[in-house]
Amino acid sequence: MISTSIGEAVSPAKMSQKESGKQGLEALFQPESVAVIGATDRPKTVGRTVLQNLLSPEFHGRVYAVNPQRSEVLGVKAYKSVADLPEVIDIAVLATPAVTVPGLVGECVAAGVKSAVVISAGFKERGAEGVALEREIQEKIRETNLRLIGPNCLGVMSPIIGFNATFAKDMPKAGSVAMLSQSGALLTAILDWSHKEHVGFSAIVSTGSMLDVSWGDLISHFGDDPHTRSILIYMESVGDARSFLSAARAVALSKPIIVIKAGRSEAASKAAASHTGALTGSDDVLDAAFRRCGVLRVPNIADLFYMAEVLGKQPRPKGPRLTILTNAGGPGVLATDALVANGGELASLAPETMEKLNAFLPAHWSHGNPIDVLGDAEAQRYAKAIEVAAQDPNSDGLLAILAPQGMTNPTEIAEQLKPYARNSGKPLLASWMGGTSVMAGEQVLNDGGVPTFPYPDTAARAFTYMWRYTQSLRSLYETPSLAEGPELDEAARAGVREIIENARQSGRLLLDEFESKAILARYGIPTVETRIARSEDEAAQQASQLGFPVVLKIFSHTITHKTDVGGVKLNLQDEAAVCKAYREIKVSVAEKAGAGHFSGVTVQPMVRLDGYELILGSSIDPQFGPVLLFGSGGQLVEVYKDSALALPPLNTTLAQRLMEQTQIFKALKGVRGRKPVDLVALEGLLVRFSQLVVEQFAISEIDINPLVASPERLLALDARVVLHDSAKEKAAPKPAIRPYPTQYISKWTMKDHGHVTIRPIRPEDEPVMAEFHHTLSNRTVYLRYFASLSLRTRIAHERLLRICFGDYEREIVLVAERQEPGSGVRQILGVGRLNRLRNQSNEAEVAVLVADQYQNQGLGLELLRRVVAVAREEKVTRVISEMLTDNLAMQAISRKVGFQLRRRPDSPSVSAVLEL
């Protein structure tokens, strides 16, 4: 019986990892020993302030001073160098001139220091000289285990343990918010504000130039941190985009990640770039990236903290519809305006809700939403109205507004509303407007878990952010269907590479229309038949064969926008019209671009479809790699500007979300009696186009314009492809989200001669994985998970999504699949899993699970071999596994693959290790 444990239960492998010492970033945020390099007792210096902060009685770790010129600093013995310290320390804080930092970092590496914070400034923000210093530091820490924050930063704090390795004056109170910022000055302001507002933090991190530790590292760390409930980020540049997106996708489901990104305007973007010395990137692309990884973006610092509170206290709304309850009309109108302006909707009260409200509200209440309970409303009326509104099936959230009036008691009303904080499963927000008269009521609500806002429009905006966050997570983790359309195979991919190579061999980076459409066709994107004609007679002949009417377009290896040079002639009815059009195009091109740009024409049938002209394209963003664009197409595409962006690759759910962001999508669904287009087929086309973009690295730009969408069919009428120069292709940004690893797809035959396909798992596999779990016996389940997990637990969407929706950058799961002859029904027979240890990027855990019916067919051994082979390809150097001592079958196949097995003392498990 073949099974082994990973991930779902706390495995002994993970326990032993923690026992073996501090890993990853733990030494940075939970240090037991720290040294300040550059410690001094000179007043008003960074070295003195940092040391003074660390000597606070709240921090119980060992603190050392390093200063070759002093024997003692602030009463602490000073050592001449890190090498002279009496122990290997967890963290070194460097506060010395920039030119000394590379050498000091080298000394830290030699002394075995686990982490470092470089507060010193004077690096890439200074120019070439500073960049050279950074390169020196990177060389010192390359191939080592030392992790480094900075340079040019405020430092780090862990209020939970009283650790303050910054030059800020005060430590905030402990809390559940991790605050990460690229601006140290902004952090000091936030720290000062937090004392007044009683906001607590689990950690404060000033990232500086992010020479080593990236956003992805920090998000992963605080995603695992039990003290952190939400992660707030002030960001000026993304840095390693793939690392950021990978970590955010993994963490966002369990903890909100809320970002304020500087640089929306061109001027602000330049300022941010000069501040961090880093590329800031396109703001629209960044929004698309945040949507793709479940990150919530807010426009200002106040919203950053509002949303941390709201998402920490209240459930996420299931939809955009808000019910507003108020004792004054004006504030209700302001809230409604803010709600609608930010993408929310005012809930329509259900008939039964209206009936219940009419039964106890005064006759002249508003009889609609907002529900105006009137200025004389007492606590019981407020509470009853909230109770009724919460039960309305048309509502996704509630906002209670109170304006202090002579007849109202804000504190008593707050006490009555407090029980509804979580009773309904819908978010409840409150705006207690005013000053001292409402403060006590606000405190009651906050203590009871109801977030309060000073103004109703702010509260309404917060609700729309909550809905936006829900939408992002739903897009990420809603189970997609398999894309409609032909399956791609290696022959199609090879055909595209051949077209590209032929163009390059002829010295061209711009593909002609014929080549561009051939590429689309190989990826299952329907194109109009296109023929090349290099003379009038040939054009007339091709037109006759295709059938009239036809379209003529310029055929050129250099011209991209055909209409700009008069290179398109439509609806040509006969050979004479074709010959005339040929001559006109030739003359027009010669006049507007030069005769050398004319190589003939393409001849195509004149397609008459009662449909919509769309554009579908991709270009390269310097930070995020390929970016998809979808929207209204045709000649006026740049005038209408109705388009949306997304990061590839897509699945059917993400394709639909991309289309939903455009105005044209409303028409595609059918309007004014017109039939809808086949949206399922369009989703499939978008999915295949995204595959083309991420698989063919040689393509720099590609667009289909127009892509005609009608109820009858989808058809690419024109296409353009631009290639990277072969010498620059390797340096071009790769997809920010790792695409499906097709290289790990292969066929295999079991002992009973059954044929299976072994391939990486994908989100569309969730239903088939659920069926797979139905086939497992209790014994197999116990051996796999070290516990008797119920079927209901194993097939829950929340659990399966962590396997099926995994990030290939972090984990690769192989499934052995077969299709039933005739029916084509897919069945998973076994699963092999490779999961990188979070804080040890070169180590990974493996697991294998085979359905009872297919055990003893060699499948478990083959899956383990394939997983180990994948580990080698992924540059993993060490593979580990844990199995129960009575799981003899797993132990046997592990030995065959080369694992060294060791019985763990006082444990029911066996450890297996394979050095690669």
Side-chain angles (χ1 to χ4, degrees):
M1 209 168 282
I2 298 167
S3 54
T4 182
S5 178
I6 178 175
E8 284 70 26
V10 179
S11 72
K14 291 189 176 179
M15 292 167 60
S16 65
Q17 178 192 336
K18 291 178 181 177
E19 291 164 2
S20 68
K22 294 185 181 302
Q23 305 287 347
L25 304 187
E26 289 181 4
L28 272 166
F29 301 108
Q30 299 172 30
E32 295 174 0
S33 56
V34 55
V36 180
I37 303 176
T40 178
D41 49 16
R42 276 190 296 115
K44 297 183 179 180
T45 59
V46 172
R48 178 192 174 100
T49 305
V50 173
L51 183 61
Q52 211 163 21
N53 286 340
L54 288 167
L55 292 173
S56 163
E58 284 81 14
F59 179 55
H60 301 297
R62 298 173 295 282
V63 181
Y64 301 99
V66 176
N67 188 327
Q69 311 299 325
R70 304 290 179 91
S71 60
E72 183 182 286
V73 178
L74 298 181
V76 176
K77 178 182 177 180
Y79 295 83
K80 292 187 179 303
S81 70
V82 176
D84 296 326
L85 294 174
E87 65 173 312
V88 175
I89 59 168
D90 288 330
I91 181 170
V93 183
L94 281 70
T96 63
V99 292
T100 67
V101 170
L104 292 170
V105 169
E107 291 179 20
C108 289
V109 170
V113 176
K114 296 169 187 172
S115 60
V117 175
V118 180
I119 291 177
S120 314
F123 292 89
K124 66 183 173 186
E125 70 274 10
R126 280 179 54 198
E129 183 183 345
V131 170
L133 289 173
E134 289 193 354
R135 287 203 188 101
E136 286 187 56
I137 296 173
Q138 286 175 316
E139 285 300 319
K140 299 286 186 184
I141 64 176
R142 184 167 295 148
E143 307 299 329
T144 76
N145 292 323
L146 184 143
R147 303 308 311 270
L148 185 143
I149 294 274
N152 188 19
C153 69
L154 178 71
V156 300
M157 291 183 187
S158 290
I160 301 290
I161 61 171
F163 174 63
N164 181 2
T166 75
F167 56 91
K169 286 193 298 183
D170 299 312
M171 170 91 77
K173 74 173 190 175
S176 60
V177 174
M179 179 73 214
L180 322 177
S181 174
Q182 277 185 298
S183 168
L186 183 66
L187 270 184
T188 58
I190 288 173
L191 290 171
D192 192 49
W193 167 85
S194 72
H195 292 293
K196 184 183 74 170
E197 297 295 328
H198 307 290
V199 174
F201 297 91
S202 59
I204 298 284
V205 184
S206 171
T207 64
S209 298
M210 305 188 88
L211 202 59
D212 173 43
V213 173
S214 66
W215 292 122
D217 295 323
L218 292 168
I219 290 169
S220 292
H221 175 80
F222 291 111
D224 287 338
D225 178 30
H227 301 294
T228 299
R229 292 176 58 189
S230 56
I231 301 170
L232 309 189
I233 298 175
Y234 169 80
M235 178 185 288
E236 292 181 352
S237 61
V238 174
D240 185 340
R242 182 172 279 193
S243 169
F244 168 74
L245 292 172
S246 176
R249 288 174 68 201
V251 172
L253 191 64
S254 56
K255 297 181 182 181
I257 303 169
I258 308 163
V259 173
I260 178 170
K261 167 64 171 69
R264 276 191 180 272
S265 67
E266 185 177 348
S269 183
K270 287 179 180 177
S274 63
H275 182 209
T276 62
L279 190 68
T280 55
S282 160
D283 200 63
D284 290 337
V285 174
L286 192 68
D287 279 338
F290 286 161
R291 285 193 299 271
R292 183 62 187 270
C293 64
V295 166
L296 175 63
R297 184 179 189 179
V298 294
N300 54 60
I301 295 171
D303 284 342
L304 200 66
F305 287 92
Y306 280 145
M307 295 316 300
E309 179 189 14
V310 168
L311 292 170
K313 288 181 176 179
Q314 289 290 305
R316 298 192 302 269
K318 294 180 172 62
R321 304 166 301 178
L322 180 67
T323 300
I324 300 170
L325 188 142
T326 178
N327 69 339
V333 174
L334 288 174
T336 301
D337 282 346
L339 174 73
V340 175
N342 286 279
E345 299 175 14
L346 205 58
S348 298
L349 300 181
E352 59 268 29
T353 301
M354 293 288 292
E355 185 177 339
K356 290 177 182 177
L357 292 172
N358 282 329
F360 68 89
L361 289 180
H364 45 290
W365 75 281
S366 59
H367 292 88
N369 185 15
I371 300 171
D372 189 346
V373 295
L374 305 181
D376 62 348
E378 74 288 351
Q380 289 74 20
R381 188 192 299 173
Y382 250 101
K384 183 66 174 175
I386 283 287
E387 180 183 354
V388 170
Q391 296 170 359
D392 193 313
N394 296 339
S395 176
D396 300 307
L398 305 163
L399 168 58
I401 302 172
L402 180 140
Q405 300 184 42
M407 299 76 73
T408 58
N409 185 327
T411 306
E412 186 181 346
I413 292 172
E415 289 284 1
Q416 290 288 328
L417 295 192
K418 191 168 64 172
Y420 298 99
R422 288 189 178 271
N423 285 356
S424 66
K426 301 174 182 179
L428 171 61
L429 313 182
S431 176
W432 256 223
M433 301 172 65
T436 54
S437 65
V438 301
M439 286 177 61
E442 278 187 317
Q443 192 61 50
V444 167
L445 290 169
N446 286 324
D447 291 345
V450 179
T452 61
F453 299 83
Y455 305 109
D457 52 336
T458 307
R461 188 172 69 246
F463 174 80
T464 64
Y465 291 153
M466 294 178 80
W467 164 235
R468 197 177 300 170
Y469 182 59
T470 300
Q471 276 186 308
S472 292
L473 294 182
R474 189 177 291 175
S475 297
L476 280 178
Y477 297 115
E478 183 178 313
T479 306
S481 57
L482 280 171
E484 186 178 281
E487 284 280 340
L488 300 181
D489 56 29
E490 187 52 37
R493 296 180 175 97
V496 171
R497 290 194 292 271
E498 183 180 357
I499 293 171
I500 290 170
E501 190 55 35
N502 288 341
R504 281 176 166 172
Q505 290 293 332
S506 63
R508 293 184 292 113
L509 298 181
L510 176 65
L511 301 191
D512 59 50
E513 183 184 357
F514 187 82
E515 293 166 325
S516 300
K517 287 179 177 176
I519 286 177
L520 296 178
R522 280 169 171 76
Y523 271 79
I525 297 172
T527 61
V528 64
E529 184 177 357
T530 301
R531 301 183 181 185
I532 300 171
R534 301 185 184 275
S535 67
E536 284 184 43
D537 291 342
E538 190 178 1
Q541 182 183 3
Q542 298 283 19
S544 297
Q545 292 175 1
L546 288 172
F548 294 100
V550 297
V551 175
L552 259 59
K553 300 179 185 177
I554 178 179
F555 179 70
S556 173
H557 294 305
T558 55
I559 293 175
T560 58
H561 299 293
K562 302 176 181 68
T563 54
D564 291 352
V565 295
V568 179
K569 298 293 182 180
L570 305 175
N571 201 25
L572 305 175
Q573 299 290 338
D574 51 38
E575 291 187 8
V578 168
C579 292
K580 180 184 177 186
Y582 185 98
R583 292 191 298 271
E584 289 175 348
I585 291 175
K586 185 175 182 179
V587 170
S588 179
V589 171
E591 291 175 350
K592 296 179 179 178
H597 295 280
F598 181 83
S599 301
V601 298
T602 61
V603 187
Q604 306 164 26
M606 179 71 189
V607 177
R608 296 187 183 278
L609 291 175
D610 184 18
Y612 303 94
E613 290 189 332
L614 307 175
I615 184 171
L616 178 58
S618 173
S619 59
I620 301 294
D621 180 82
Q623 283 188 306
F624 292 97
V627 179
L628 302 176
L629 177 143
F630 171 86
S632 301
Q635 294 184 22
L636 299 179
V637 62
E638 294 175 6
V639 176
Y640 293 141
K641 294 184 178 178
D642 173 31
S643 60
L645 302 178
L647 298 186
L650 302 178
N651 56 39
T652 52
T653 299
L654 293 170
Q656 182 177 347
R657 297 291 179 265
L658 172 60
M659 293 189 290
E660 286 172 351
Q661 296 174 58
T662 63
Q663 294 298 314
I664 192 67
F665 181 69
K666 298 172 185 174
L668 298 177
K669 292 190 294 182
V671 291
R672 296 189 176 181
R674 300 181 69 171
K675 292 181 180 179
V677 306
D678 188 342
L679 291 175
V680 173
L682 186 53
E683 288 170 8
L685 188 149
L686 264 63
V687 170
R688 292 192 297 280
F689 183 82
S690 75
Q691 288 177 285
L692 164 61
V693 166
V694 296
E695 290 177 357
Q696 302 297 336
F697 295 143
I699 294 177
S700 171
E701 297 176 37
I702 178 172
D703 62 56
I704 307 171
N705 184 26
L707 169 66
V708 174
S710 74
E712 294 77 27
R713 63 194 295 201
L714 304 170
L715 196 62
L717 298 189
D718 205 351
R720 182 180 71 103
V721 175
V722 181
L723 306 177
H724 289 293
D725 183 287
S726 56
K728 298 178 181 178
E729 182 181 331
K730 288 186 178 179
K734 295 298 185 284
I737 296 173
R738 182 172 175 178
Y740 186 75
T742 57
Q743 68 270 32
Y744 299 134
I745 302 174
S746 60
K747 305 290 185 181
W748 186 71
T749 304
M750 294 190 292
K751 289 179 181 178
D752 66 357
H753 306 295
H755 299 291
V756 298
T757 298
I758 297 178
R759 59 167 179 81
I761 203 166
R762 55 195 177 193
E764 293 86 348
D765 290 323
E766 185 182 339
V768 196
M769 276 295 293
E771 289 298 321
F772 168 71
H773 277 279
H774 278 85
T775 69
L776 304 179
S777 67
N778 291 336
R779 173 70 174 166
T780 295
V781 170
Y782 178 76
L783 291 176
R784 167 64 175 83
Y785 300 111
F786 288 32
S788 298
L789 297 181
S790 68
L791 177 64
R792 182 176 179 180
T793 299
R794 286 183 281 122
I795 66 173
H797 173 68
E798 292 73 18
R799 180 186 168 278
L800 286 181
L801 68 82
R802 296 196 178 275
I803 300 170
C804 300
F805 290 73
D807 186 331
Y808 302 121
E809 195 73 2
R810 293 170 167 246
E811 162 178 80
I812 292 181
V813 178
L814 299 180
V815 295
E817 174 193 74
R818 76 169 188 181
Q819 284 190 318
E820 293 289 345
S823 68
V825 173
R826 297 185 302 125
Q827 181 184 12
I828 289 176
L829 314 184
V831 181
R833 192 172 181 183
L834 178 76
N835 185 35
R836 286 185 185 272
L837 296 180
R838 183 70 55 84
N839 296 320
Q840 295 289 326
S841 61
N842 291 327
E843 285 191 23
E845 282 185 299
V846 298
V848 172
L849 180 60
V850 177
D852 291 63
Q853 182 182 349
Y854 298 98
Q855 292 174 8
N856 303 312
Q857 296 290 325
L859 183 56
L861 176 60
E862 185 62 22
L863 279 170
L864 185 58
R865 283 174 174 159
R866 297 288 181 95
V867 168
V868 169
V870 169
R872 285 194 174 94
E873 285 292 317
E874 298 293 315
K875 304 295 187 289
V876 172
T877 58
R878 192 168 188 258
V879 177
I880 63 174
S881 183
E882 291 289 322
M883 58 207 76
L884 291 171
T885 53
D886 54 352
N887 193 348
L888 301 179
M890 187 65 201
Q891 293 172 42
I893 67 170
S894 297
R895 286 191 184 94
K896 287 182 180 179
V897 175
F899 282 84
Q900 299 295 313
L901 273 59
R902 180 174 63 88
R903 175 73 183 269
R904 294 172 57 80
D906 304 319
S907 171
S909 67
V910 174
S911 297
V913 178
L914 177 63
E915 303 290 345
L916 300 179

